[in-house]
Amino acid sequence: MARNIQSLERAAAMLRLLAGGERRLGLSDIASSLGLAKGTAHGILRTLQQEGFVEQDDASGRYQLGAELLRLGTTYLDVHELRARALVWTDDLARSSGESVYLGVLHQQGVLIVHHVFRPDDSRQVLEIGAMQPLHSTALGKVLSAYDPVAHSEAIEADRKAFTDRTVCELDGFEHILDMTRARGYAADVEETWEGVASVAAPIHDRRRMPVGSVGITGAVERLCRDGELRPELIAAVRDCARAVSRDLGAGRF
């Protein structure tokens, strides 16, 4: 049986203690409440402070929860609100398009799949929630790179790997694709990441009109494309889905 890491358990207990009341706590209070030596408690607090999880008041020397925890908590809530708001619309998109639907957010220099609706047929499929996709070649990633400045910076700084002969890796070409994405309101991936697979995606915005994710469909090239181009009705369906989720998040009309 795997053993727990004691220092992490103590740090978690310390954060729970600081979250349990409105007042700030001193080193002695924290150490005695958790049954720790002052030196041990101070070492953990110092590490948490360096990571932004704990803040120390300059005047009193007492500790309270830090802003980084708030940021992480807000991110968690944002992602779960995004999923909750998108459930009905992504189900509708899968039914109307006949294809798999993916909802992605920026995470660790890539696209994290936070929701996946299976293609509505009897084919065997694998749930891809939690999977990562590249920013520079996928439709979901291009949308994030085009609309989110942080995603754009990460895509520019990353090693843009060629997955197929169609992958655009050169910087000027990639920037041109992002310009097109912003002008059209959607991004395409036709065999740039996987041979025989095409995707189209559009951006989702929140009440602040900030980009919070992207939604798209993925399927075989012969189903998504006609005469070498993405089918207009599928592009329209994806954009309608993205606008609907954005409206539910308070973004208003786009």
Side-chain angles (χ1 to χ4, degrees):
M1 184 175 179
R3 297 177 61 185
N4 293 339
I5 300 174
Q6 188 180 55
S7 59
L8 292 179
E9 289 182 331
R10 289 172 170 174
M14 203 168 284
L15 293 173
R16 293 191 187 99
L17 178 64
L18 290 169
E22 295 181 3
R23 64 188 180 89
R24 300 183 180 97
L25 295 175
L27 175 60
S28 297
D29 298 324
I30 295 171
S32 61
S33 296
L34 300 178
L36 300 174
K38 282 188 179 181
T40 301
H42 184 257
I44 296 172
L45 284 166
R46 186 172 62 248
T47 301
L48 291 172
Q49 186 177 359
Q50 289 171 349
E51 295 299 324
F53 297 139
V54 164
E55 295 175 356
Q56 186 178 26
D57 181 65
D58 292 334
S60 66
R62 291 175 175 267
Y63 295 89
Q64 64 184 16
L65 294 179
E68 182 65 11
L69 276 178
L70 176 63
R71 187 190 69 81
L72 292 176
T74 301
T75 300
Y76 174 84
L77 291 173
D78 284 349
V79 169
H80 282 263
E81 183 183 8
L82 175 61
R83 279 193 74 248
R85 298 291 185 179
L87 290 176
V88 172
W89 301 111
T90 50
D91 283 349
D92 286 349
L93 178 58
R95 281 193 294 269
S96 65
S97 67
E99 301 296 342
S100 300
V101 178
Y102 295 88
L103 186 67
V105 298
L106 177 65
H107 180 68
Q108 294 182 350
Q109 298 182 325
V111 184
L112 174 67
I113 303 302
V114 297
H115 186 52
H116 174 199
V117 184
F118 283 163
R119 184 171 65 255
D121 59 19
D122 295 328
S123 62
R124 184 175 180 179
Q125 300 172 62
V126 177
L127 189 65
E128 295 187 47
I129 293 175
M132 293 291 294
Q133 294 187 5
L135 286 171
H136 70 284
S137 62
T138 62
L140 293 171
K142 292 176 191 176
V143 164
L144 293 175
S145 300
Y147 288 90
D148 185 338
V150 176
H152 178 259
S153 296
E154 293 186 353
I156 294 301
E157 295 169 3
D159 179 18
R160 291 180 297 279
K161 177 182 176 182
F163 297 104
T164 73
D165 292 341
R166 293 173 176 260
T167 309
V168 177
C169 303
E170 187 262 334
L171 182 56
D172 288 345
F174 180 61
E175 289 284 20
H176 177 65
I177 287 174
L178 299 187
D179 288 340
M180 288 178 56
T181 298
R182 286 184 285 266
R184 301 186 303 189
Y186 71 91
D189 166 11
V190 180
E191 296 189 283
E192 293 179 50
T193 310
W194 302 281
E195 297 282 355
V197 176
S199 302
V200 58
I204 296 172
H205 296 80
D206 66 7
R207 61 185 61 87
R208 299 161 297 174
R209 294 185 174 253
M210 297 294 291
V212 293
S214 53
V215 63
I217 59 173
T218 297
V221 171
E222 57 266 27
R223 294 197 305 268
L224 266 66
C225 296
R226 183 185 300 124
D227 299 326
E229 299 291 336
L230 285 165
R231 290 163 52 195
E233 65 271 23
L234 294 180
I235 296 172
V238 170
R239 295 191 67 194
D240 286 346
C241 177
R243 283 192 288 261
V245 178
S246 297
R247 283 196 302 270
D248 277 5
L249 288 170
R253 294 182 63 85
F254 269 85

